[in-house]
Amino acid sequence: MHTGHRSRLAGKIKDGGVVYEHELLEYLLFNACPRRDLNATAHSLIERFGSISGVFAARREELVSVDGVGENMAEYLLCLGKALSKCGNCNSFAVLRNTADFKSFISTRATGESDCLELCLMDKDGRVRRIVSFAAQNGGRAEVCESRILGSLSVYRPYGLFACYRHAGDCVLPDGNDDIAAGKVIEVCKLCGVRLYDFCSVKDGEIFSYFINDRLILCANRGK
């Protein structure tokens, strides 16, 4: 019954046309429910979680609370989210123009039990092409190693990046360790010719922007 609609949507994707988030999600859901009209369900999911990345980050109980989403579809979306997060580029369609966009973007990514440094690597149009994470082992602080950061930037060659230090602790406010991490990121970006748009301290959706608070300049020499 929906063959024509699905064929047109497949054609847009194949031909590189403009594909909206709800359309991309609808197309992905075809694999979970091949005989249903999923347009309304895709819209409901985007409206509920704010973006397709929010859908992939949602918990099972949140997914099944959306009208039209059953256990099988929830399992499918959870599997997609986990698989794409392993690739580090599940948000490649996201566009970050400023720190406000970055705050909205990272709020969909859950904070783990350990500290983590994340680099959102972007092309010249502001699209996130890959996310590189450096997590702490067995709790504690994440290791910020210049050589690992340099390796990631050398391999993926981003135009620019947003960086954040995710706190597993109680406070979003940065400390000396955050400043050292920011200094190292600044130095590697300079070395690679990559633009650093902002470095942020993050905790459960709260964000402290080094750029907005003029802290990047203070950290420029701390990573040396």
Side-chain angles (χ1 to χ4, degrees):
M1 177 166 109
H2 307 289
T3 300
H5 171 66
R6 295 189 178 192
S7 296
R8 287 190 295 272
L9 185 53
K12 287 179 65 176
I13 295 173
K14 180 180 178 181
D15 296 336
V18 176
V19 181
Y20 297 101
E21 282 196 319
H22 73 274
E23 293 178 315
L24 179 58
L25 182 59
E26 180 185 2
Y27 192 77
L28 290 172
L29 291 177
F30 291 162
N31 296 295
C33 301
R35 298 183 181 278
R36 274 180 50 193
D37 180 1
L38 298 166
N39 184 269
T41 302
H43 273 288
S44 296
L45 283 164
I46 296 294
E47 290 172 5
R48 170 69 172 80
F49 300 109
S51 66
I52 194 169
S53 59
V55 174
F56 290 147
R59 299 189 301 272
R60 182 196 309 273
E61 57 270 25
E62 294 175 323
L63 290 169
V64 296
S65 69
V66 176
D67 187 37
V69 179
E71 289 291 340
N72 289 340
M73 186 180 292
E75 288 282 353
Y76 175 70
L77 290 170
L78 288 168
C79 183
L80 267 181
K82 289 181 179 179
L84 293 173
S85 66
K86 293 294 183 182
C87 298
N89 62 351
C90 61
N91 299 292
S92 61
F93 37 76
V95 177
L96 307 182
R97 300 180 181 86
N98 49 47
T99 295
D101 287 347
F102 181 55
K103 179 179 179 180
S104 176
F105 175 76
I106 61 176
S107 67
T108 65
R109 297 174 59 79
T111 300
E113 297 180 357
S114 300
D115 286 7
C116 178
L117 173 69
E118 285 190 351
L119 306 179
C120 295
L121 310 182
M122 302 156 58
D123 63 19
K124 64 179 181 180
D125 296 319
R127 294 185 182 277
V128 178
R129 291 305 184 189
R130 187 166 294 271
I131 301 171
V132 180
S133 300
F134 306 98
Q137 299 297 321
N138 301 319
R141 304 289 298 190
E143 179 184 0
V144 181
C145 177
E146 294 98 323
S147 62
R148 296 180 67 193
I149 299 173
L150 178 60
S152 296
L153 300 192
S154 298
V155 170
Y156 301 121
R157 299 181 181 276
Y159 179 83
L161 65 85
F162 278 92
C164 70
Y165 196 102
R166 291 183 171 276
H167 285 258
D170 297 327
C171 184
V172 70
L173 294 178
D175 56 25
N177 289 319
D178 296 76
D179 292 345
I180 291 172
K184 291 181 178 180
V185 172
I186 290 170
E187 289 304 310
V188 176
C189 284
K190 286 181 180 178
L191 181 63
C192 296
V194 174
R195 299 187 179 194
L196 175 61
Y197 298 116
D198 202 348
F199 185 97
C200 299
S201 174
V202 179
K203 168 62 181 174
D204 292 339
E206 294 184 78
I207 184 171
F208 179 95
S209 164
Y210 275 54
F211 178 78
I212 292 175
N213 291 279
D214 294 325
R215 196 159 176 152
L216 282 176
I217 296 176
L218 297 175
C219 297
N221 295 319
R222 296 199 178 189
K224 297 180 178 179

